[in-house]
């Protein structure tokens, strides 16, 4: 019974690692980009 539980935990850990690495490589985790502009006033030119 204990060996079956250890196998289940090991199997779930392997599935978790595979799922996490798949999400890291295939998931879109880049931040949304937006154009930004700022007006700069120079004194004494």
């Amino acid at each position: 019974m204990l060996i079956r539980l250890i196998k289940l935990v090991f199997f779930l850990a392997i599935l978790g690692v595979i799922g996490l690495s798949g999400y890291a490589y295939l998931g879109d985790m880049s931040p949304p980009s937006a154009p930004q502009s700022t007006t700069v006033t120079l004194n004494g030119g």
Side-chain angles (χ1 to χ4, degrees), residues 9-24:
V9 169
F10 184 71
F11 179 71
L12 288 176
I14 294 296
L15 280 179
V17 168
I18 291 172
L20 188 62
S21 59
Y23 180 73

